[in-house]
């Protein structure tokens, strides 16, 4: 049951948004190719795109709780069990690297909980949180592997970058 109050939905149940932060950051980086920098020359195009996606998510879903997952630097349990896991993956672009810190600062300033755990990827935590937390969950990602997590209480909002801007596909 929802009640409208000053433009916000107040729900009797939790509405939880789980962010696949690196996936969204990469989507934003490649979607916005315009060079943007702060006064010190730090690149900001991915931060700008990520912020726009985040504000749109908040406006459309009106979550009661938000969690942003991040991969930790270093090998995961998959790397330890499979030598060639992600062996062909390209390294993070150099102008994206400094933007990760800015996104983390943004999330912290907005009161969004950041979750990361050495040895696990952000996707692993998305899956665990989607199963453990109570309420309606929305996984926001660009990773199609997350579609396997869909059930009666988990929606996956898949961000797909097309023609320089992100489109959203709601999968339930």
């Amino acid at each position: 049951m929802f009640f409208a109050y000053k433009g916000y939905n107040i729900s009797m149940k939790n509405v939880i948004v789980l962010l696949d932060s690196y996936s969204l950051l990469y989507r934003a980086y490649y979607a916005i190719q315009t060079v943007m920098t702060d006064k010190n020359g730090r690149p900001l195009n991915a931060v700008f795109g990520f912020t726009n996606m985040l504000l749109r998510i908040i406006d459309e879903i009106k979550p009661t709780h938000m969690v942003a997952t991040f991969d930790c630097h270093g090998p995961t349990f998959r790397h330890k069990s499979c030598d060639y896991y992600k062996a062909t993956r390209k390294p993070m672009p150099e102008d994206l690297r400094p933007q990760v810190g800015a996104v983390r600062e943004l999330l912290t300033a907005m009161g969004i909980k950041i979750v990361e755990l050495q040895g696990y990827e952000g996707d692993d935590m998305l899956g665990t949180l989607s199963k453990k937390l109570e309420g309606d969950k929305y996984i926001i990602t660009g990773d199609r592997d997350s579609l396997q997590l869909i059930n009666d209480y988990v929606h996956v909002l898949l961000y797909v970058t097309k023609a320089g801007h992100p489109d959203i596909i709601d999968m339930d």
Side-chain angles (χ1 to χ4, degrees):
M1 173 182 254
F2 285 89
F3 301 95
Y5 175 73
K6 293 186 181 179
Y8 293 96
N9 286 331
I10 301 172
S11 171
M12 300 300 257
K13 89 171 21 173
N14 291 329
V15 178
I16 304 162
V17 166
L18 304 169
L19 302 169
D20 185 352
S21 299
Y22 273 120
S23 173
L24 298 177
L25 193 55
Y26 270 88
R27 298 277 171 197
Y29 175 80
Y30 287 109
I32 303 191
Q33 292 296 302
T34 305
V35 176
M36 298 177 174
T37 60
D38 65 11
K39 64 182 178 180
N40 298 318
R42 182 171 68 168
L44 293 174
N45 61 306
V47 177
F48 176 77
F50 186 95
T51 303
N52 282 337
M53 284 189 274
L54 187 58
L55 294 174
R56 182 175 174 187
I57 290 162
I58 292 168
D59 184 55
E60 291 180 10
I61 299 175
K62 297 177 180 29
T64 58
H65 301 81
M66 293 185 80
V67 176
T69 64
F70 279 88
D71 301 346
C72 285
H73 185 70
T76 68
F77 69 92
R78 287 184 188 89
H79 290 98
K80 292 175 183 175
S81 65
C82 180
D83 293 343
Y84 55 88
Y85 181 69
K86 293 191 178 182
T88 60
R89 179 164 284 186
K90 294 178 184 175
M92 180 182 287
E94 284 304 313
D95 58 334
L96 177 56
R97 191 170 307 282
Q99 297 185 69
V100 174
V103 165
R104 292 173 71 92
E105 289 173 30
L106 170 72
L107 292 166
T108 300
M110 293 180 74
I112 298 171
K113 176 77 174 164
I114 295 173
V115 175
E116 57 192 341
L117 183 62
Q118 191 64 46
Y120 296 90
E121 295 180 1
D123 305 32
D124 299 320
M125 289 172 281
L126 287 173
T128 300
L129 292 169
S130 74
K131 300 295 182 193
K132 298 285 185 187
L133 297 175
E134 298 275 331
D136 289 333
K137 281 116 1 186
Y138 292 84
I139 296 174
I140 316 296
T141 185
D143 187 347
R144 287 171 174 82
D145 288 344
S146 295
L147 295 176
Q148 64 188 309
L149 300 171
I150 295 171
N151 63 35
D152 289 340
Y153 300 100
V154 178
H155 297 262
V156 174
L157 296 182
L158 192 63
Y159 269 80
V160 181
T161 304
K162 292 187 211 174
H165 64 83
D167 287 334
I168 302 172
I169 302 169
D170 183 0
M171 307 293 285
D172 62 13

